[in-house]
Amino acid sequence: MSVARLRPDWLTDPQVWRTEVLAGLVVALALIPEAISFSIIAGVDPAIGLFASFTMAVTIAIVGGRRAMISAATGAVALVIAPLNREHGLGHLIAAVILAGVIQVIMGALGVAKLMRFIPRSVMVGFVNALAVLIFMTQVSELRNVPWAVYPLLAAGLLLMVVPPKVTTVIPAPLVSIVALTAVTVAAGIAVPTVGDKGELPSSLPTPGLPDVPFTPDTLMTIAPYAFAMALVGLMESLMTARLVDDITDTRSDKTRESIGQGIANIVTGFFGGMGGCAMIGQTMINVKVSGARTRLSTFLAGAFLMVLCIVFGPVVSDIPMAALVAVMVMVCFATFDWHSIAPATLRRMPVGEIAVMVITVVCVVATHNLAVGVVVGSVTAMVIFARRVAQHADVTAVTDPDGTTVVYRVTGALFFASANELTGRFAYATDPDRVVIDLSAAHVWDASSVAVLDVIETKYAQRGKTVEISGLNDPSAALHGRLSGELAGS
């Protein structure tokens, strides 16, 4: 393979370079107020969240498995670790971040990413829609008890992101909106909430170090539950976001590498004193869907620009009106929400169960403000509905030989715990002839419950002096039946 083919696109294509650089700048601007807000949720200094966003983005750009996805300090992680910081202090929080990263590396190496295939599409749609609702709800709080000038600024910001793209897309519309509104408010001296009102920006780069905690079993026992919860929530949100970006870009990502990469990024973040994090759906949508970024460069620059903006251009960044960033995030909400999923024509065609799963996922996420809860509850609900649906397809029909000496029961469908338990009542034990054949050529035996039920049926016939022959088992079913039959009497 030639050296030229090994070079990334942004090294050889000026247009890609421009897109990636500008996308990274826009994301960095959007990250600042978010990171500060999440720091407040976690109960730490704003610099802790900004350092986390810097180290997470830069590290995941190198070791992550999904190009152009943004990882930084997030609200979900902040909610998980806030009680630990409140009760035990910052040192324990940092230690928990490092341990969470180690757990994520282990889980990634064990193949936890493969579990993503068990998340149904209806849950994925619910996840996306709930995320859009949550992002919108967080922006609403920025519009309460504010000067009246915020509202026309917000309207102008939205207009600037709708109209310019119709003329040219050379400069990302969010950047146009942010620069224009900042210039107007500063030049006219309009007093509105700004980024600087969220908290003081850091004036130097983070330095590495060990967490200030005693390295004892007691410390490990204290931080382990929080670290495990953070690892799970972080991986789930990151893998779901990676899958969403896969769909948007029509490209595949390495979920195992992403899982391990998230762990490495959290370990690095912990050693640099950050609060940890995971993939950020809102900023990822700004990067991928709004700005059109597609490479690791935009992710790396988002983190690098974040520190440059804070350290070098802190006074300028502090003057950015929050209305401009709210306008950006509102547009992200509309771009993220799957409007097709709630269209009347779609709802009329969709099975009721699929709609229910989507609604349950959205409700759980919005009610708990925890995406992981919604995904788990939605997935479990989908599995229950699927099990009930499949169980209804299992059927039994009986045909008695003309001479009356044999009856053949033909079983069709999937036999597992939900369907097999109904089988025992489908046989006429008392009135059947002495020879009974159970034909399973149109069925599949999936679990021990099905084998146990077949044993019960044989036992009921044997108690009446009748013989049972089970025929037609496919190879996997025959192997399972042969291994477990007669061994489950005590279960």
Side-chain angles (χ1 to χ4, degrees):
M1 184 178 292
S2 65
V3 175
R5 292 189 64 185
L6 290 173
R7 292 177 181 174
D9 292 341
W10 53 267
L11 275 179
T12 57
D13 189 333
Q15 184 174 354
V16 173
W17 169 268
R18 183 176 61 248
T19 299
E20 299 298 310
V21 171
L22 293 177
L25 179 58
V26 172
V27 172
L29 290 169
L31 275 174
I32 293 173
E34 293 282 307
I36 295 174
S37 298
F38 298 147
S39 299
I40 295 171
I41 293 173
V44 299
D45 189 82
I48 304 298
L50 290 166
F51 288 158
S53 295
F54 163 61
T55 53
M56 286 291 298
V58 169
T59 306
I60 205 67
I62 300 169
V63 301
R66 173 63 261 177
R67 292 181 297 173
M69 190 167 76
I70 304 297
S71 290
T74 59
V77 169
L79 288 170
V80 170
I81 60 177
L84 178 63
N85 180 64
R86 186 169 55 248
E87 296 171 14
H88 299 280
L90 180 61
H92 282 75
L93 182 152
I94 300 302
V97 170
I98 295 173
L99 180 58
V102 173
I103 293 172
Q104 287 178 327
V105 170
I106 294 172
M107 293 175 70
L110 293 176
V112 69
K114 295 178 181 177
L115 297 177
M116 283 296 295
R117 67 179 183 269
F118 294 108
I119 298 179
R121 182 186 179 278
S122 53
V123 173
M124 187 67 185
V125 173
F127 165 83
V128 171
N129 290 347
L131 205 49
V133 172
L134 282 184
I135 295 173
F136 184 79
M137 289 172 62
T138 59
Q139 303 314 304
V140 170
S141 63
E142 300 291 344
L143 301 175
R144 293 174 179 162
N145 303 317
V146 294
W148 67 268
V150 168
Y151 303 109
L153 285 173
L154 174 64
L158 292 172
L159 191 64
L160 284 172
M161 280 186 290
V162 173
V163 176
K166 298 181 182 300
V167 179
T168 178
T169 57
V170 172
I171 302 177
L175 184 58
V176 173
S177 177
I178 292 170
V179 171
L181 293 188
T182 302
V184 168
T185 54
V186 171
I190 302 174
V192 291
T194 63
V195 170
D197 297 330
K198 287 291 185 178
E200 186 177 353
L201 302 181
S203 58
S204 63
L205 290 171
T207 55
L210 295 174
D212 184 18
V213 294
F215 293 91
T216 63
D218 287 341
T219 299
L220 180 62
M221 293 297 293
T222 299
I223 67 174
Y226 297 95
F228 187 70
M230 176 184 165
L232 283 179
V233 170
L235 274 187
M236 188 172 295
E237 290 204 28
S238 299
L239 293 175
M240 291 288 284
T241 304
R243 181 172 162 182
L244 177 62
V245 178
D246 289 352
D247 292 339
I248 292 173
T249 61
D250 290 327
T251 58
R252 296 186 64 182
S253 57
D254 187 337
K255 304 298 191 302
T256 297
R257 178 178 173 178
E258 181 63 35
S259 301
I260 296 173
Q262 287 291 328
I264 295 173
N266 273 305
I267 292 172
V268 172
T269 296
F271 281 120
F272 276 90
M275 57 180 277
C278 61
M280 297 188 76
I281 183 69
Q283 275 64 26
T284 298
M285 289 299 99
I286 293 175
N287 196 46
V288 174
K289 201 164 187 177
V290 178
S291 301
R294 291 294 183 271
T295 77
R296 297 179 186 274
L297 180 63
S298 59
T299 304
F300 181 88
L301 289 179
F305 282 150
L306 174 64
M307 281 293 98
V308 172
L309 289 170
C310 291
I311 297 171
V312 181
F313 300 102
V316 176
V317 173
S318 295
D319 288 335
I320 295 175
M322 285 302 299
L325 297 176
V326 170
V328 172
M329 297 309 293
V330 168
M331 289 301 295
V332 169
C333 295
F334 279 94
T336 302
F337 196 92
D338 187 348
W339 297 100
H340 177 73
S341 67
I342 61 171
T346 303
L347 295 176
R348 282 196 298 269
R349 294 186 180 94
M350 287 284 287
V352 175
E354 300 279 326
I355 298 173
V357 169
M358 180 181 70
V359 172
I360 289 171
T361 302
V362 172
V363 170
C364 287
V365 171
V366 173
T368 63
H369 285 227
N370 190 324
L371 295 166
V373 171
V375 171
V376 171
V377 174
S379 297
V380 170
T381 303
M383 290 176 186
V384 171
I385 292 174
F386 174 76
R388 286 176 57 87
R389 187 181 302 161
V390 173
Q392 294 172 356
H393 289 291
D395 195 20
V396 179
T397 56
V399 178
T400 304
D401 282 357
D403 58 9
T405 60
T406 303
V407 61
V408 178
Y409 284 92
R410 181 174 174 81
V411 181
T412 60
L415 299 185
F416 64 110
F417 62 90
S419 59
N421 291 332
E422 302 292 329
L423 286 182
T424 53
R426 305 291 295 274
F427 294 82
Y429 305 100
T431 59
D432 279 342
D434 292 341
R435 184 171 181 269
V436 178
V437 176
I438 302 177
D439 180 9
L440 297 176
S441 58
H444 186 94
V445 179
W446 285 103
D447 58 8
S449 297
S450 304
V451 176
V453 167
L454 292 173
D455 284 352
V456 168
I457 294 171
E458 289 187 81
T459 300
K460 286 180 176 292
Y461 276 115
Q463 289 171 348
R464 293 168 173 79
K466 301 175 181 180
T467 61
V468 175
E469 176 189 344
I470 296 177
S471 67
L473 286 167
N474 56 35
D475 291 342
S477 300
L480 182 65
H481 184 265
R483 187 168 67 251
L484 298 179
S485 183
E487 303 295 331
L488 303 171
S491 60

